[in-house]
Amino acid sequence: MLQLDKLKHQDSNNFFLMAGPCAIEGEDIALRIAEKIMGITDKLKIPFIFKGSYRKANRSKGSSFTGIGDEKALKILEKIGHTFDVPTVTDIHESGEAAMAAAYVDVLQIPAFLCRQTDLLIAAAQTGKVVNVKKGQFLSAASMKFAVDKIIDSGNNKVILTDRGNTFGYQDLIVDYRGLPEMQRFGVPVVMDCTHSLQQPNQTSGVTGGKPELIATIAKAAIAVGADGLFIETHPDPANAKSDGANMLNLALLEDLLVKLIRVRQAVV
C-alpha cells in the first residue's frame, strides 16, 4: 500500500512525480511510457506514481476518444504496477466506480470538475486508497479544505491535493501560486499539475488546446514555491495521442526538465 510519508526520497528530499499518458491507449505504449519514466526517476531518485486514465468521461465532443474499455485499461494499470513495482493512479467519475478502480490501482483521483461531489469523495475515501483531489478551476485554494474534511471524516486521512489552475475568461487558465502553501496548511501533500494548468478549454473546434511550451515554466515556479509533487502528462508522440495531446509534454523532454527541477529544489530547500 502506498505510504504518503514515503513519497519523498530520503536520500535526496526530492519532490515526487505523478506522470504518464492522459489515457491508457493500449498495453504496449503504456508499458513503454512507464518503463521510460521509471528509468529516469530511478536514476534521479524521484519517487514516482504512474498516471493513466482508464476512461475519459469529460470530453467536449461526443466523438472524442474515451478509452479502450474499463476492465482492459485497469488491468494494464495493474500490470504496470506489478511489472515496475510502482504505485499507480487513475481518475474516477462516479461513486460506483470507486471500488472497481480501487481493485487495480493505489491512488484514486477526483477530477477537478467533480471535487465537490460529496458521494464521490466519500466512496473514494471508503476504499482506503490514497485519494488525490484536483482543485476545481472555479474554486479558491481555501475552499479545498472542505474536500479534505469530507475524506478525513469518512475515516481516510490519505489525501493529496492537486492544483490545476483557475478559470481565466472562457478559454484560458491561470495559476495562482499562493494556493500551494495555502493548501499545504491543511496538512496534506500538494501537487502542481503542470500540463492541465496550461489547457485552453472550450475551443470552438470541440478539442481542448494547450501551451506545452510553458510546462517547464509552470514546473519551475511550483518547485520554487515548495510544491510537494508535480503532475505531468507525457507521451512519446503528443501530436498523435488519443487524448489531450495539445498540452502533454513530449516524453523525450522529461529527463532534462527533471534535472533542472532538482537544481531548483536544491536551491530552495
Side-chain angles (χ1 to χ4, degrees):
M1 182 177 293
L2 177 65
Q3 300 293 322
L4 289 185
D5 59 357
K6 294 183 179 179
L7 283 177
K8 295 181 180 180
H9 197 288
Q10 295 179 355
D11 296 333
S12 62
N13 192 32
N14 266 344
F15 52 88
F16 65 92
L17 178 68
M18 306 172 78
C22 177
I24 298 297
E25 301 175 1
E27 182 173 315
D28 180 64
I29 189 169
L31 286 166
R32 285 191 286 115
I33 293 172
E35 183 176 26
K36 177 67 173 178
I37 302 174
M38 194 74 196
I40 295 169
T41 53
D42 267 1
K43 180 167 63 175
L44 300 178
K45 298 181 179 179
I46 296 173
F48 168 48
I49 301 170
F50 178 83
K51 184 270 169 185
S53 296
Y54 72 88
R55 174 160 38 94
K56 301 302 296 183
N58 176 32
R59 304 287 88 184
S60 295
K61 294 171 65 176
S63 59
S64 294
F65 174 81
T66 58
I68 59 175
D70 292 356
E71 187 176 14
K72 183 177 181 180
L74 285 166
K75 284 184 175 179
I76 291 171
L77 284 163
E78 183 180 49
K79 183 172 183 177
I80 288 170
H82 291 162
T83 301
F84 301 106
D85 191 25
V86 61
T88 54
V89 56
T90 197
D91 319 67
I92 60 171
H93 313 91
E94 298 179 9
S95 55
E97 299 174 18
M100 175 186 70
Y104 297 93
V105 301
D106 303 279
V107 183
L108 299 179
Q109 181 167 284
I110 308 300
F113 283 129
L114 302 177
C115 68
R116 294 182 63 188
Q117 297 298 103
T118 301
D119 289 349
L120 180 60
L121 291 167
I122 291 174
Q126 290 177 340
T127 67
K129 297 290 184 172
V130 176
V131 183
N132 178 36
V133 188
K134 287 198 169 183
K135 185 185 78 64
Q137 305 93 319
F138 46 86
L139 289 178
S140 68
S143 298
M144 290 305 291
K145 182 179 186 302
F146 302 111
V148 173
D149 288 345
K150 289 176 184 178
I151 295 167
I152 292 176
D153 290 345
S154 300
N156 186 340
N157 63 358
K158 294 174 288 188
V159 187
I160 299 172
L161 293 180
T162 296
D163 195 338
R164 53 141 310 155
N166 303 295
T167 299
F168 189 69
Y170 288 111
Q171 295 176 322
D172 208 356
L173 299 168
I174 192 167
V175 177
D176 180 356
Y177 286 96
R178 298 174 299 177
L180 301 184
E182 185 163 7
M183 289 191 291
Q184 284 172 327
R185 295 192 187 103
F186 307 149
V188 301
V190 173
V191 173
M192 184 71 234
D193 184 339
C194 304
T195 45
H196 288 95
S197 60
L198 291 167
Q199 280 185 336
Q200 294 178 304
N202 305 319
Q203 300 297 303
T204 54
S205 65
V207 178
T208 297
K211 297 181 179 179
E213 68 276 8
L214 293 176
I215 291 172
T217 301
I218 296 292
K220 289 174 185 175
I223 294 301
V225 169
D228 298 294
L230 298 177
F231 181 105
I232 298 176
E233 288 190 340
T234 183
H235 192 283
D237 185 12
N240 290 301
K242 294 184 178 181
S243 178
D244 275 3
N247 54 273
M248 275 198 280
L249 179 71
N250 191 304
L251 187 56
L253 303 177
L254 181 63
E255 182 170 2
D256 181 64
L257 173 59
L258 292 176
V259 168
K260 292 175 180 176
L261 294 175
I262 288 174
R263 293 176 186 155
V264 176
R265 175 77 165 200
Q266 292 170 341
V268 298
V269 294

